[in-house]
Amino acid sequence: MFKIAHKTVRLPVADYIAGYRDADRLIRFCRDCGNYGTIWICPPYSFDPLDRIKNYRDAHIIGTQVWIDEAVRRSPQSAQEQKETSYRIREEARKSLDVPLLRIERLYPGSLAFFAGSCFLCRKEDCARHAGQPCIYPRRARSSLEAYGFDISKTASELLGIDVKWSENLVLPKYFTLVSGLFTNHETVMPEWE
């Protein structure tokens, strides 16, 4: 159905914040998303994201291209089917990213992993945030870089050399672009992504 290719870059967190974070502009996109204020990994937060990340030394940014088979790209017959197919592909691709990132985060105490996009642990309507309860998966749920105000399109194109592609009509793009990350103060050894 798809194949995956990864690119990784390491840079100082201070440089990443200065060159790729535009929280005021990007929070407007968050507000337009149906996840804003409804799931725990998305804004608004009870803390300042900049305060949480500004003291990290290194940012490891992982760009993942999820190349989609031509037959699958052209298979959706409706907008709903296109949305469901896109969701399923991204969810499956994230399995090869999220677990290793959490493993590295635990290996280097104090580090902070960022997942690519939304949470796949619960259905949005089942998130405990709706009931004012804490996240039921706090050891496994992580926010995305965009939720912390980073420009993912700029990150992908300038740092990783990956152009973000979009669906046209009902045809899925040639590939999806997923951007994950790890902020740390340790000399880390990032894995060879499968």
Side-chain angles (χ1 to χ4, degrees):
M1 179 192 289
F2 61 85
K3 64 179 182 173
I4 297 176
H6 304 283
K7 294 181 182 181
T8 304
V9 66
R10 176 180 167 183
L11 72 160
V13 168
D15 292 353
Y16 190 46
I17 290 170
Y20 297 89
R21 189 169 187 270
D22 189 353
D24 292 337
R25 181 176 67 86
L26 292 168
I27 196 68
R28 289 189 295 246
F29 295 116
C30 284
R31 285 191 183 110
D32 291 340
C33 174
N35 292 339
Y36 184 82
T38 64
I39 63 174
W40 279 120
I41 67 159
C42 290
Y45 297 115
S46 61
F47 57 88
D48 181 349
L50 183 58
D51 286 343
R52 184 164 279 185
I53 61 173
K54 66 184 180 186
N55 293 320
Y56 283 105
R57 185 183 68 207
D58 294 321
H60 296 268
I61 308 298
I62 304 104
T64 303
Q65 290 174 284
V66 183
W67 293 87
I68 306 166
D69 292 344
E70 194 64 24
V72 174
R73 287 184 63 219
R74 298 183 181 283
S75 66
Q77 300 297 308
S78 68
Q80 183 62 30
E81 191 176 334
Q82 179 190 36
K83 182 179 177 180
E84 290 169 1
T85 302
S86 297
Y87 183 90
R88 195 170 50 252
I89 291 169
R90 287 180 287 132
E91 181 181 28
E92 187 63 30
R94 284 255 312 266
K95 290 178 183 176
S96 69
L97 294 166
D98 297 357
V99 171
L101 276 170
L102 288 177
R103 191 176 306 121
I104 296 166
E105 183 189 72
R106 283 191 301 274
L107 185 61
Y108 300 101
S111 298
L112 180 62
F114 291 90
F115 290 167
S118 191
C119 186
F120 291 118
L121 297 173
C122 305
R123 293 182 319 155
K124 176 181 154 182
E125 57 272 12
D126 294 335
C127 181
R129 190 169 187 174
H130 290 286
Q133 299 296 316
C135 176
I136 62 173
Y137 296 112
R139 295 190 62 182
R140 293 174 39 211
R142 295 296 179 273
S143 294
S144 64
L145 289 164
E146 56 263 46
Y148 271 53
F150 289 98
D151 186 328
I152 296 305
S153 291
K154 184 177 178 184
T155 296
S157 65
E158 292 183 12
L159 290 178
L160 300 163
I162 301 172
D163 291 325
V164 175
K165 303 288 185 189
W166 304 99
S167 297
E168 292 183 27
N169 301 315
L170 295 178
V171 179
L172 298 174
K174 291 181 180 181
Y175 58 82
F176 289 120
T177 303
L178 308 178
V179 180
S180 308
L182 180 80
F183 286 20
T184 188
N185 290 318
H186 297 273
E187 285 298 325
T188 61
V189 177
M190 296 299 283
E192 291 294 323
W193 301 100
E194 298 174 2

